[in-house]
Amino acid sequence: YLKEMTWDFWYYDYNLVNLKNGTRKKLLTHYHGNDLKLAPSGDYLHYWNHADSSWYLMNTKDLSVKNCTKKVTENFYKWHHDVSEKISPEGRVYWSNDEKHYYIEGQFDVWKFDLEGNAQKITTGAAKHQQYSIIQLSKKEVYLNDSLIVFKSFNHSNKDEGIWIYENTFLNKIFDESA
């Protein structure tokens, strides 16, 4: 893709490699960028599709693919994106301990998804023009601790920041500059 990249963007092919026998399984071809996340088990791959500004989930065993964010009313792209290149995702993807759920940061809120694609909004940012982001407490952890998730918030209207904890389906304020 080197010639094409002189007038366009960086493209990559992604393969899943069996470390025991060296066999390869092609996952993505001619993929723009690096907005993807492999589940720690290797069973699933999330990737960002620039064409429709959506997150996709691929089962790496059977290569089935589903659009995760299509049915969700929130935008997952960088809404303040004002440069002449393909639009990137607003946030990241995080996996739960058991890989039965994953979390995706949207324009304002964080969403919890199951493997069937059912989504649940776990923050309340859009109504307040407040953006929530997950704080990963340890860089060594490959999974997100489902029982206790820490968020930071930024209010785009008044520029206030805050720290929040999501525990047992409740979002609790720890610190908020507006309070």
Side-chain angles (χ1 to χ4, degrees), residues 1 4-5 8-13 30-33 86:
Y1 307 117
E4 179 181 8
M5 290 186 300
D8 201 3
F9 301 98
W10 290 91
Y11 292 97
Y12 304 94
D13 292 340
H30 198 254
Y31 180 76
H32 165 69
K86 295 182 180 185

Side-chain angles (χ1 to χ4, degrees), residues 4 6 36 50 64 144:
E4 179 181 8
T6 62
L36 43 80
H50 294 275
S64 62
L144 190 61

Side-chain angles (χ1 to χ4, degrees), residues 27-58:
L27 300 178
L28 296 170
T29 305
H30 198 254
Y31 180 76
H32 165 69
N34 58 0
D35 300 311
L36 43 80
K37 178 147 188 181
L38 186 65
S41 68
D43 292 341
Y44 299 97
L45 173 72
H46 276 100
Y47 64 94
W48 178 254
N49 184 328
H50 294 275
D52 65 1
S53 299
S54 295
W55 280 105
Y56 282 78
L57 176 66
M58 175 189 290

